[in-house]
Amino acid sequence: LVATDSTAKDLLNWAKNRLNKFYNPKLYQPAEKRQLSEQDEISTQFGGTAPPTEAPGGIAGTGISVPTSLLQVRNTDLPAPPETFGAYTKKAEESNGVMAMIDLLIKDLDKELAESKVMEEKAQADYEATMEDSAAKRAADSKALTEKGAA
């Protein structure tokens, strides 16, 4: 549960950042620049080429990994996409609903993570109490058996 919720939260934050790139460029946070090693930097300064960048893995090249329990097989026999309207025009205020919905989903995931953490702590405390009770019962049973055997 924690792994899937964390992955979903990472993906939602990534999607929100991508929407910000289009609708709110001031809020967009670009990806970190690649740091070259000292040797590679010297090589590129003298006209060499930098080593190739590794392709990001995960969901659609985002680098966000997917738990194997969430993977689905895609049907390759998809129909052709429908005709679209004319050229796309940018609309500033229409992104607020989508952003608010993504924020709501992230808050829900945070609540679910907090609930699961509390439930896990409670279950651990119950388990420890059960183990203590069992140890006391075993000790009492053992004492009773030794007293029966001595009598």
Side-chain angles (χ1 to χ4, degrees):
L1 180 67
V2 173
T4 55
D5 283 357
S6 297
T7 302
K9 188 175 172 184
D10 289 344
L11 187 61
L12 287 171
N13 283 325
W14 177 83
K16 185 177 172 184
N17 191 40
R18 292 292 290 209
L19 286 171
N20 278 334
K21 182 178 182 180
F22 183 73
Y23 289 111
N24 303 321
K26 294 177 186 174
L27 298 176
Y28 174 68
Q29 298 169 350
E32 295 179 13
K33 299 263 182 184
R34 181 175 150 199
Q35 293 288 356
L36 294 177
S37 67
E38 186 176 338
Q39 182 178 4
D40 292 335
E41 198 170 314
I42 292 170
S43 173
T44 55
Q45 288 174 356
F46 284 108
T49 58
T53 307
E54 290 186 32
I59 301 170
T62 61
I64 300 170
S65 62
V66 179
T68 55
S69 61
L70 294 179
L71 294 178
Q72 296 179 353
V73 179
R74 183 176 180 183
N75 184 4
T76 56
D77 299 331
L78 297 176
E83 294 276 335
T84 61
F85 296 106
Y88 187 78
T89 57
K90 195 172 182 179
K91 298 177 182 175
E93 295 300 319
E94 289 188 10
S95 70
N96 293 339
V98 174
M99 297 296 216
M101 186 171 40
I102 289 175
D103 287 337
L104 182 65
L105 289 171
I106 290 172
K107 286 179 186 175
D108 287 346
L109 287 171
D110 287 338
K111 285 180 190 175
E112 191 172 319
L113 285 170
E115 286 175 8
S116 66
K117 184 178 179 183
V118 169
M119 288 175 56
E120 179 68 29
E121 290 172 356
K122 185 178 183 295
Q124 182 65 30
D126 289 346
Y127 171 77
E128 290 172 2
T130 303
M131 289 294 111
E132 289 175 9
D133 292 345
S134 297
K137 186 175 183 324
R138 277 194 307 274
D141 289 347
S142 174
K143 185 177 179 183
L145 281 176
T146 52
E147 288 176 0
K148 268 188 178 180

